[in-house]
Amino acid sequence: MKPANAVKGRKQMNGNTLLLIITIVLFVILYAGGCIVYGSKGFTNLQTFLNILISNAGLICVACGMTCVMLTGGIDISVGSLVALDCMLLAYGMGKWHMSAPVMCLIVLAVGLIFGLVQGFCVGYLEIQPFIVSMAGMFFARGMTAVISTDQLSITQDTNAAFYSWANWRLNLPFGGVLNRKGVLIMPYIRVGVIISLLVLIVIFLVLRYTKFGRSLYAVGGSEQSAAMMGLNVKKTKMKAYILSSFLCSIGGICYCLNTQAASVSQATGLEMSAIASAVIGGTLLTGGVGNVIGTLFGVLINGTIASIVQFNGKLASSWPNILTAALLCFFIVLQSVFAFLKEKKK
Amino acid sequence: MKSKKLTQNPLFLPLVCVLLVLAVNAVYDLSQGKAFYEFFITVINDQGLLTGRLVTILNRGSEVAILAIGMTLVVSASAGTDISVGSVMSLCASFCCMLVAGFGVSSVDDVAIPRLLLGLLGALVMGCICGAFNGTLVAYLNIQPMVATLILWSAARAIGLLLCNNLIVYVRTDAYGVFGGYIGFLPTPILIAAVCIAVVSLVLKKTAMGMYIQSVGINKKASRIAGLNSKRIIFMCYLLCGLCAGIAGIVASSRITSADSNNIGLNMELDAILAVALGGNSLGGGKFNLAGSIIGAYTIQAITTTMYNLGVSSAVAPVFKAVVVIVIVVIQAPPVKNWVRKHTAARPAAGKEAAHA
């Protein structure tokens, strides 16, 4: 049994790869546009691109999980709140309980697993609509964040030296340095979050492509009935997808926290939207069965590029990235529906 | 036999919830040394306004009740939910205040009546436009309802902020405040909600619209073959849902005589969906019961008010609501229902316990 998009043959694969190509071209156009318009402000530096990666490291992990869930035809909108809960747990645990950083990270990952297990059970075995389940999860996580603390917490050197040093650790790249105003060569750098998120991306890519679990995700999303007839345990697969999503979301939460070094109740609001938008823009079909994390990566990059263009402009209102992302999402959803319509007609 | 009939009544679930809330209130009042009927005490205070806990709940629950009307129809016709209603509320409120105050103006004290009417009309039209947008995506482009409405869920609030130039626009006139205030001694939101409910239920009762919506929800293809324009009916439901969101937006913004884009209608979509689910309607579409949804809406407000009464902070309240949602949907879930049915057949008494739990 191969992944659905490989098995369907050349003709239909073109439709799906076309979506991916559109995404990549769109990213290149956006980025090139940014370079041309804001080149004088330093948009062309390699660091600008790396900053997009640094600030979206958490989102990459979360979006990978979202892609897995969407492959099964479901959706998980609890991710944003779960990230907020993770950050709050990290900040509060290290600040008030004086736990060590690795222990808190393990606790956060465990919370993610349990959260995913409950959601997955409700979706897989109780057959409740994923949206309703994850909406309840979203409000639960957000509320639990408030239960832990309603204050704005930040992680400083005093709170936890280990976590602080992780957060401020840089890996300088050996190339692409830029001379600053004083004439000192500054090397572009990435942070630990980027490495984690790229590792996650690669692992998920391999899992989806080469493992039994990854292929069964595609099969369940393609057609639940045929998957069941092939002898797959549909319920279990669905549950695993939600566990994976929440687990990756917790990893994303740690990356997010490494980047912001702060926690508050209103943190990461709308992150679920960005994650869904990234996956959809990256060519993952909302009906399930089609998609891949490479597209999702480009979806995240497009999101980040829009945000950073708005940032470089400096005059645009802060609500513009939201509107633009929603417009892009709308465009891709309509595009997908048109493709689906054409496919139907061909039959 | 009799009790079995009772549990199958569509209004069973909402009424049980109402009784539960009332019981919690009564116990709390007794523990505070007050009379157990404290909940129902309604008086006209010195300022000549109707007050009391029941009135507060009816008043504050108006927005959710109005939203629940549209949501019920959407759920019934398309087996999906419109999650954009909260954001659309905010957008409509912002648009209304922007029209009244002018772009970029943060506060006005004196407004001509025609200008105000223009603003109100604008808000309703904006609601309809949002509804039409959602409706087009769902009905004509066959996109999953939740995903289609996700676009406005994120964008509408941002557009509202943009329309208000990132300001909180104040319209400080009595003429605007009346929609969230009082007419005579009666709170206006109660009246508005009552009118909306009356009009919609009359239309559903007196025309075949209600039946059409149900039939489309039960089987879209069969309804089309039977000669119904399924797509247009689904579209109309979303349009109406948008309109309801517009009305609710006006009420919410009139309460605070301003348009606070970031906070109006926040998390309201969950309340509206919860109202529909609480009302005994299946979220899978098909048959609906408007009365149940309305009772559900006020029940939610009663739960919220009770929680505030008990000293639960507004930030923590979502936890309880989430638990309530999960319990309700789990009760409605097909596998659980099958399990209950199997056990009812084997052991009637045990099955009844499970159904009540």
Side-chain angles (χ1 to χ4, degrees), chain B residues 11 47 49 156 181 188-189 222 295 325:
Chain B
L11 289 180
Q47 286 151 352
L49 306 175
T188 327
I295 295 176
V325 175

Side-chain angles (χ1 to χ4, degrees), chain B residues 34-270:
Chain B
K34 291 180 198 156
F36 68 91
Y37 52 84
E38 177 82 13
F39 186 85
F40 294 103
I41 294 177
T42 305
V43 286
I44 294 179
N45 68 1
D46 335 334
Q47 286 151 352
L49 306 175
L50 205 62
T51 55
R53 215 184 288 168
L54 189 63
V55 178
T56 310
I57 290 171
L58 285 180
N59 186 0
R60 293 279 155 188
S62 308
E63 285 105 314
V64 182
I66 296 170
L67 290 179
I69 300 171
M71 192 65 84
T72 312
L73 300 184
V74 162
V75 167
S76 168
S78 67
T81 48
D82 181 352
I83 58 162
S84 69
V85 285
S87 299
V88 171
M89 266 177 79
S90 156
L91 171 60
C92 292
S94 302
F95 189 58
C96 175
C97 287
M98 194 272 280
L99 281 180
V100 172
F103 181 74
V105 183
S106 77
S107 170
V108 283
D109 293 327
D110 192 32
V111 177
I113 295 296
R115 187 104 197 232
L116 195 68
L117 289 179
L118 174 74
L120 295 176
L121 195 68
L124 298 182
V125 170
M126 184 54 98
C128 288
I129 292 174
C130 292
F133 177 77
N134 287 334
T136 311
L137 289 183
V138 174
Y140 294 104
L141 292 175
N142 282 328
I143 297 165
Q144 293 166 19
M146 284 160 183
V147 176
T149 52
L150 194 69
I151 297 169
L152 275 183
W153 182 54
S154 135
R157 208 173 281 281
I159 295 172
L161 265 175
L162 212 61
L163 285 179
C164 285
N165 207 8
N166 281 343
L167 297 166
I168 295 179
V169 180
Y170 292 94
V171 180
R172 290 202 179 90
T173 60
D174 293 340
Y176 187 59
V178 77
F179 298 102
Y182 290 84
I183 288 180
F185 66 93
L186 208 66
T188 327
I190 298 183
L191 278 180
I192 296 177
V195 169
C196 291
I197 295 165
V199 168
V200 173
S201 40
L202 261 184
V203 169
L204 292 181
K205 282 259 158 63
K206 293 287 167 192
T207 69
M209 196 65 192
M211 207 172 70
Y212 288 171
I213 292 173
Q214 293 192 5
S215 83
V216 169
I218 292 166
N219 193 334
K220 200 167 133 189
K221 256 185 199 154
S223 318
R224 219 189 70 76
I225 292 165
L228 290 179
N229 191 339
S230 304
K231 289 185 175 176
R232 193 187 288 161
I233 287 170
I234 294 176
F235 178 80
M236 290 293 286
C237 287
Y238 277 87
L239 193 73
L240 191 72
C241 193
L243 182 64
C244 287
I247 297 172
I250 292 174
V251 172
S253 107
S254 169
R255 270 189 213 286
I256 51 174
T257 57
S258 65
D260 182 357
S261 309
N262 281 321
N263 289 318
I264 285 180
L266 198 62
N267 298 347
M268 210 62 124
E269 55 275 357
L270 181 80

